[in-house]
Every structure is written in structure tokens, then in C-alpha cells.
Amino acid sequence: MGKSSRPSAGNSTHSILHLVKQVQYKAYVRLESVLNPLDVTAVQFRILTTLSTRPDMTSADLARLYDVKPQTMIKQIALLEAKGLIERRVSDTNRRLLEVRLTELGASSLKQLQKDTRALEQELLKPLSADEQADLRGYLLRLLESLSGAGDDKAEGDEIEELTPEYRRVGVQRL
């Protein structure tokens, strides 16, 4: 193969934190361009993904999950509702709560968004072999578990974040 396409493991001149942030930023910009045709932001996409596996959450539940102020989440919920992607309804168990769920349009839009974002991920990861992609995923999960470990205020059994069967993503994104 001649010169290896793999970066030198001994090259320690680049900060890992800086490189991770640069990759995250460039990937985020590309993600926004994929989501833009359906008029959805990355934050809204994550909310839709959450609601696809956990319907009937309240905006307060979502705010706690994403570690944002309730007012911030309410703004995103209002935007998604105005687009017809979600609906709020009075809870069957507590008449004082409004629960949020996907509409039919929201569910179909989410399926298209997931298809488009999976294609983007494949494109972004093209420079890596299947083994390298698996290694990278393993390293990132190990780091995430380490960072989400003992010192956090999480109750035993709490997940890092929901992992949907059709679109597995982990991590907290502040809105």
C-alpha cells in the first residue's frame, strides 16, 4: 500500500481535544446542510429522535434529559409544533401535564432525516476502513462511559442517553 493512510500514532503535536472539536464542528456543519431541506435543526432532530422511542414525554422531561432550562426546551417544542412535527396533549394520568408526541408528519420526516443522516455518516467515515470505524466507535464509547461515570449525579441504572434501535447516538447536546 506504500505510504500508510493511517496517521502516525506517534504524532503528538496535535491536541486530541482540538482535533475532536474540529471534526465535530465540520461534521455538524455538514449535518445542518442535510437537515436544512426539511427545515429541522440538529437540536430539533435529536428531540424528534427521542420522541420516536419515548412518546408522551413532557417538555420538562425533555429539558432534564438534555440538561437545559425548561424555557429553552419550550421554545424548541413550540417551533416543532408550528411545523406540524409534534403535538402536545393533556396527559391521561395527570390533567395538569402536557405530553409531547410525534405527529404522522413528524414520524415520516424523522424516517427521511435518519436515512439522510446515516448516508452522511457513511460519507464522513469513508476514509476509515470498517475495522477502523469499529475501533473509533469503541474508543469513543469507552471515553463517553468514562466521562459519564462515578463522579456524576446520575442514579444507578440511568442511561447516558437513549439509544434508539434505528439510530444509535449518544451524548448530551446543550441547546
Side-chain angles (χ1 to χ4, degrees):
M1 197 159 131
K3 197 170 189 181
S4 172
S5 61
R6 191 176 244 188
S8 167
N11 184 351
S12 61
T13 60
H14 291 59
S15 161
I16 290 174
L17 292 177
H18 175 76
L19 292 170
V20 166
K21 184 61 182 174
Q22 290 301 307
V23 169
Q24 183 273 333
Y25 174 75
K26 289 176 186 255
Y28 185 83
V29 168
R30 302 272 298 274
L31 175 63
E32 287 287 346
S33 71
V34 166
L35 300 175
N36 193 40
L38 287 173
D39 193 30
V40 172
T41 67
V43 168
Q44 292 167 354
F45 172 60
R46 296 204 51 227
I47 293 168
L48 294 172
T49 300
T50 299
L51 291 174
S52 73
T53 59
R54 297 166 78 178
D56 300 331
M57 292 184 78
T58 66
S59 60
D61 293 334
L62 287 164
R64 280 189 293 277
L65 179 66
Y66 288 104
D67 193 25
V68 297
K69 293 179 181 174
Q71 297 87 343
T72 303
M73 184 56 67
I74 288 169
K75 179 180 177 188
Q76 292 301 318
I77 297 297
L79 290 169
L80 288 167
E81 189 174 36
K83 294 174 187 179
L85 301 175
I86 63 169
E87 62 186 6
R88 292 184 266 194
R89 64 181 188 87
V90 175
S91 169
D92 293 334
T93 58
N94 183 343
R95 307 304 275 162
R96 295 182 305 178
L97 295 178
L98 285 177
E99 296 173 332
V100 184
R101 66 174 38 205
L102 294 177
T103 61
E104 281 188 40
L105 176 61
S108 65
S109 296
L110 179 60
K111 281 185 182 173
Q112 183 61 50
L113 291 167
Q114 289 172 329
K115 179 182 171 192
D116 294 347
T117 57
R118 278 191 294 273
L120 172 62
E121 182 176 284
Q122 289 174 352
E123 180 187 329
L124 294 176
L125 293 174
K126 256 186 186 169
L128 303 178
S129 70
D131 287 344
E132 289 170 327
Q133 289 179 36
D135 288 346
L136 176 61
R137 187 170 286 109
Y139 296 145
L140 292 172
L141 283 169
R142 203 160 80 204
L143 287 170
L144 183 60
E145 288 167 4
S146 169
L147 293 168
S148 300
D152 292 352
D153 294 335
K154 288 181 163 279
E156 188 174 323
D158 279 358
E159 297 177 28
I160 294 169
E161 188 178 323
E162 88 286 343
L163 298 172
T164 63
E166 66 281 339
Y167 197 77
R168 298 191 180 275
R169 297 291 181 269
V170 295
V172 173
Q173 174 165 344
R174 297 187 186 270
L175 304 181

